[in-house]
Amino acid sequence: MSMITVKNLSAGYGFVNVLRDISLDITAGEIVAVLGSNGVGKTTLNNTLSGLIKPKSGEVLFEGKSIVGASPETIVDLGMIHVPEGRKLFPNLSVRDNLELGSYRRGKSDRAANLEDVLDTFPKLRDRINQIAGTLSGGEQQMVAIGRGLMSNPKLLILDEPSLGLSPLLVEQMFDLIKRINEKGLTILLVEQNVIQSLAIADRAYVIEEGAIAISGNAADLQDNSELKKSYLGL
Ligand SMILES: Nc1ncnc2c1ncn2[C@@H]1O[C@H](COP(=O)(O)OP(=O)(O)OP(=O)(O)O)[C@@H](O)[C@H]1O
Ligand SMILES: [Mg+2]
């Protein structure tokens, strides 16, 4: 079953076009990576799918239903949950409050059970449940941001550069966690600059260059793609 289908999507800011003719699809259960360097339009894509930016043209179907022009709130209600770049926590609220805010619009009746699940997934957060979020380490803050997304019973979880700013060891742990969450059945759109580690956990990937999809395919095949190796891995 198709979770999301994007057809010929173009989007940007004012007269500036950032995304050109993007087509991609994600099937339920997959991890799909969208890869690209700084400024190619990854966050613009996430914000367009989430309804924060209106596309200039193209179609977005979520579980077969068009969501172009729908509000961000409606899109959240449908189950597309976006964990934004840079975490965007409420720094003066506790870990518990930040997590519980994740179920403000969706998942409210499952709040207690989902909180237990999130604390099982991220045991570190259980010890820090009453700590003020702004005083957590970067890795812990990323766990809260993902946990907040999980609190809303997502059907599709969009992660915008979850490895940004983490130490190499934490990056590895973060990718392992993302894979584990996917193995429990959650469909994930993973937007990343970290090509090697993303391809290691993804089923399929799309590479964006200058706002358009330049390369796409099975993650396993892309790991051996010479063009990709040359451009992104310096090999
Ligand atoms: N609100 C905005 N108004 C005008 N231009 C913007 C706005 N947000 C982003 N842009 C521009 O759109 C282009 C794509 O930005 P975007 O944030 O989508 O890139 P990205 O791939 O997420 O980059 P990074 O990896 O650094 O997060 C950039 O040239 C950026 O300057
Ligand atoms: Mg970005």
Side-chain angles (χ1 to χ4, degrees):
M1 187 190 74
S2 167
M3 185 59 73
I4 189 166
T5 304
V6 176
K7 290 183 198 161
N8 308 109
L9 186 76
S10 294
Y13 306 93
F15 292 112
V16 180
N17 284 320
V18 173
L19 298 174
R20 293 179 291 118
D21 210 26
I22 299 275
S23 295
L24 58 85
D25 64 276
I26 304 177
T27 299
E30 283 189 305
I31 298 189
V32 172
V34 168
L35 306 170
S37 319
N38 283 120
V40 294
K42 302 182 301 296
T43 298
T44 302
L45 174 65
N46 290 346
N47 288 344
T48 308
L49 299 182
S50 307
L52 295 163
I53 297 173
K54 302 289 170 236
K56 291 174 197 274
S57 59
E59 183 58 280
V60 181
L61 303 173
F62 187 63
E63 293 193 303
K65 209 173 114 186
S66 175
I67 54 166
V68 169
S71 69
E73 291 83 358
T74 302
I75 292 172
V76 165
D77 291 344
L78 291 173
M80 186 199 295
I81 306 299
H82 177 180
V83 178
E85 185 177 358
R87 291 126 204 180
K88 307 281 196 297
L89 300 181
F90 292 94
N92 299 321
L93 297 184
S94 68
V95 169
R96 178 192 297 278
D97 289 344
N98 271 280
L99 290 173
E100 289 188 340
L101 278 166
S103 56
Y104 180 72
R105 281 198 76 87
R106 196 182 142 87
K108 215 175 242 174
S109 58
D110 297 327
R111 182 175 280 176
N114 286 349
L115 183 61
E116 273 311 301
D117 276 353
V118 167
L119 297 178
D120 285 343
T121 306
F122 303 109
K124 239 187 186 160
L125 298 184
R126 196 183 285 283
D127 305 333
R128 298 181 177 272
I129 189 84
N130 295 317
Q131 189 170 326
I132 297 301
T135 63
L136 296 171
S137 75
E140 291 160 353
Q141 292 195 25
Q142 187 62 54
M143 291 174 198
V144 176
I146 295 175
R148 180 180 57 187
L150 295 174
M151 289 294 290
S152 56
N153 293 336
K155 289 183 178 171
L156 173 66
L157 190 68
I158 301 179
L159 301 175
D160 194 335
E161 298 210 47
S163 76
L164 197 70
L166 305 185
S167 70
L169 182 64
L170 269 182
V171 168
E172 199 155 309
Q173 289 175 3
M174 190 56 67
F175 279 100
D176 284 347
L177 271 166
I178 293 166
K179 184 71 187 167
R180 280 222 313 258
I181 295 167
N182 166 253
E183 282 168 352
K184 287 189 194 167
L186 183 58
T187 312
I188 295 177
L189 169 55
L190 173 65
V191 172
E192 265 291 342
Q193 291 192 39
N194 195 324
V195 172
I196 297 182
Q197 272 149 316
S198 298
L199 290 178
I201 65 163
D203 297 299
R204 292 185 301 110
Y206 297 86
V207 180
I208 302 187
E209 285 174 7
E210 295 174 23
I213 290 172
I215 309 172
S216 64
N218 287 324
D221 296 338
L222 291 182
Q223 283 176 316
D224 296 323
N225 182 294
S226 54
E227 198 186 333
L228 193 79
K229 278 186 181 167
K230 213 166 81 195
S231 309
Y232 294 90
L233 310 178
L235 300 174

